[in-house]
Amino acid sequence: MTNKTLSTLLVLTALIAFLGYFLMPAGPRFAEVPQFVRTGYMFFFGALPVLLLMKLISKIFPQGFQHETVSLNETMFGIFFVFLTKEAREEWRGYIREQKKREAA
C-alpha cells in the first residue's frame, strides 16, 4: 500500500467512524439499528487505530533503526514488513543494501 492510499484510507475511516459515533442512536434506540450496520460501524471504529499505527510505523521506524546493525535492521524489517507502506519498504531496503555494501568494502 502506498503512502497516499494509506492517508486516504485513514481520513475516510476517521470520517466514517466519527460520523457514525455522532449519528448512531445511543441507548435503547441502538437496538433498532440492524446488526450489519452496527457491525460495519464497529469495523471502521476498530480499523482506525490499526491504520494510524501503520502510518506511524511507516514514518518513524525506518529512521529509528538506521544507526543499528545490519542484522537488527533486517530482523526489524521482517517483523514490521506487513505494517510498512511501499515507500517505507523501499527506503528500508535501500538502507540495508547500502549498509551491506559499506561492510563489504
Side-chain angles (χ1 to χ4, degrees):
M1 175 181 321
T2 64
N3 210 6
K4 184 177 177 182
T5 305
L6 181 60
S7 296
T8 304
L9 282 174
L10 186 60
V11 168
L12 290 176
T13 303
L15 182 65
I16 291 171
F18 290 122
L19 282 177
Y21 177 75
F22 290 115
L23 298 177
M24 188 77 63
R29 294 184 306 167
F30 189 68
E32 298 171 4
V33 178
Q35 179 66 32
F36 69 91
V37 174
R38 286 184 277 169
T39 304
Y41 165 67
M42 291 302 158
F43 169 77
F44 286 106
F45 198 69
L48 184 60
V50 173
L51 293 173
L52 188 60
L53 281 174
M54 286 178 68
K55 184 78 169 178
L56 289 173
I57 287 171
S58 291
K59 290 282 186 188
I60 295 172
F61 281 39
Q63 289 88 19
F65 288 103
Q66 278 191 354
H67 300 292
E68 301 295 333
T69 63
V70 177
S71 62
L72 181 64
N73 268 293
E74 289 174 335
T75 304
M76 291 297 121
F77 178 74
I79 291 171
F80 295 114
F81 182 82
V82 176
F83 300 106
L84 295 172
T85 60
K86 184 178 178 182
E87 293 86 357
R89 288 177 187 167
E90 290 301 318
E91 177 186 343
W92 212 339
R93 280 185 192 132
Y95 180 75
I96 290 171
R97 276 189 228 116
E98 179 184 311
Q99 288 298 97
K100 283 184 177 180
K101 285 181 185 177
R102 198 176 290 161
E103 283 184 2

